[in-house]
């Protein structure tokens, strides 16, 4: 049978969790200025004095809310490291890869992308939370490295870093609503395929291709000269 003390502890935990989630929602919607004791308590559906009971200052509340969210995001990334790489290998074929990307977008809508960006950028601006933001991004890279190794991609570290950059850029585009989701799925596949293909071409071949392109450009300019 659950004791009265245990019930009290669980209620306290739930209230604290509600305050952290409310603070994060307000931060995403309006930045740090929107996060006040009164606003957080109201958003959490709790008495106004509740926030000061659990958190000495609004800065402490906001920092813990961001930290709490990033820790949850890291746990999600850790679970992704155990998924089957079939979807990743699907990027080798165009049609299945677009379907795979569209499926991910359906599970993680644009609102989720907006939230993640706001949280990581907010943490990056705070000297006391910057390390957490760095950890979030490097953990995402580490997860991709493991997936790329499983997919048979050699020396994947640099490729994983580049892929994280593309994913972050796609999240920004989705937040702004630049493209409809179906178009965005096609564009992200195009970008990631280009990265993988570029990674698989050895340095000598890649350098030669760039030199050939440079010569074509210079030759075209020369032909246009009087």
């Amino acid at each position: 049978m659950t004791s009265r003390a245990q019930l009290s502890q669980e209620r306290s935990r739930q209230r604290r969790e509600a305050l952290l989630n409310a603070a994060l929602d307000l931060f995403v919607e309006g930045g740090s200025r929107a996060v006040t004791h009164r606003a957080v308590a109201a958003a959490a559906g709790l008495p106004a004095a509740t926030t000061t009971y659990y958190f000495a200052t609004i800065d402490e509340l906001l920092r813990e809310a961001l930290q709490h969210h990033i820790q949850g995001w890291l746990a999600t990334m850790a679970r992704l490291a155990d998924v089957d790489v079939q979807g990743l290998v699907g990027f080798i074929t165009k049609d299945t890869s677009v379907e795979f990307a569209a499926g991910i977008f359906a599970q993680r809508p644009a609102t989720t992308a907006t939230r993640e960006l706001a949280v990581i950028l907010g943490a990056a601006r705070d000297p006391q939370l910057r390390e957490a933001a760095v950890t979030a991004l490097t953990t995402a890279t580490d997860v991709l490295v493991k997936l790329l190794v499983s997919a048979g991609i050699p020396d994947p570290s640099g490729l994983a870093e580049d892929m994280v950059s593309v994913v972050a850029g796609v999240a920004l585009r989705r937040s702004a609503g630049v493209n409809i989701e179906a178009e965005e799925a096609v564009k992200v596949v195009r970008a990631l395929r280009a990265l993988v293909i570029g990674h698989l071409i050895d340095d000598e071949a890649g350098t030669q291709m760039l030199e050939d392109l440079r010569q074509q450009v210079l030759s075209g300019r020369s032909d246009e000269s009087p």
Side-chain angles (χ1 to χ4, degrees):
M1 183 175 178
T2 305
S3 68
R4 180 176 295 181
Q6 289 174 322
L7 287 173
S8 178
Q9 289 176 356
E10 176 60 19
R11 183 175 62 181
S12 179
R13 185 196 67 78
Q14 290 178 356
R15 285 188 167 192
R16 202 170 190 280
E17 186 89 6
L19 291 172
L20 292 173
N21 289 333
L24 193 68
D25 288 340
L26 289 167
F27 176 79
V28 170
E29 293 172 5
S32 58
R33 292 183 179 181
V35 185
T36 65
H37 286 293
R38 186 178 297 277
V40 171
L46 296 170
T50 309
T51 54
T52 53
Y53 177 80
Y54 289 100
F55 303 96
T57 67
I58 201 66
D59 287 342
E60 178 187 334
L61 168 58
L62 180 55
R63 289 193 181 102
E64 188 157 342
L66 291 170
Q67 182 74 54
H68 178 73
H69 179 80
I70 288 174
Q71 287 174 348
W73 187 74
L74 292 178
T76 300
M77 293 302 298
R79 289 193 295 271
L80 285 176
D82 297 327
V83 303
D84 188 354
V85 297
Q86 182 177 359
L88 183 64
V89 175
F91 275 94
I92 297 173
T93 60
K94 187 175 182 180
D95 293 337
T96 56
S97 58
V98 171
E99 292 177 5
F100 179 67
I104 293 177
F105 286 173
Q107 295 176 25
R108 296 179 63 81
T111 52
T112 300
T114 300
R115 188 180 180 87
E116 303 296 355
L117 279 174
V119 169
I120 292 177
L121 287 172
R125 287 194 297 266
D126 188 324
Q128 296 187 37
L129 281 174
R130 192 167 297 142
E131 184 176 350
V134 171
T135 299
L137 294 173
T138 55
T139 299
T141 300
D142 292 342
V143 168
L144 279 174
V145 166
K146 292 178 182 178
L147 289 174
L148 291 169
V149 168
S150 299
I153 302 295
D155 302 322
S157 296
L159 175 59
E161 291 177 351
D162 294 342
M163 290 176 76
V164 168
S165 298
V166 168
V167 170
V170 169
L172 180 59
R173 269 202 320 239
R174 294 179 72 205
S175 298
V178 175
N179 305 302
I180 63 173
E181 293 288 78
E183 291 176 349
E184 196 61 67
V186 173
K187 291 177 184 294
V188 69
V189 167
R190 181 189 65 197
L192 293 176
R193 280 168 56 84
L195 284 178
V196 172
I197 292 170
H199 177 77
L200 293 175
I201 297 174
D202 61 56
D203 288 342
E204 184 175 350
T207 300
Q208 185 59 53
M209 290 174 65
L210 290 174
E211 178 59 26
D212 292 344
L213 177 60
R214 175 176 173 274
Q215 292 300 328
Q216 290 176 22
V217 172
L218 292 176
S219 176
R221 289 178 179 176
S222 177
D223 291 343
E224 293 175 1
S225 300

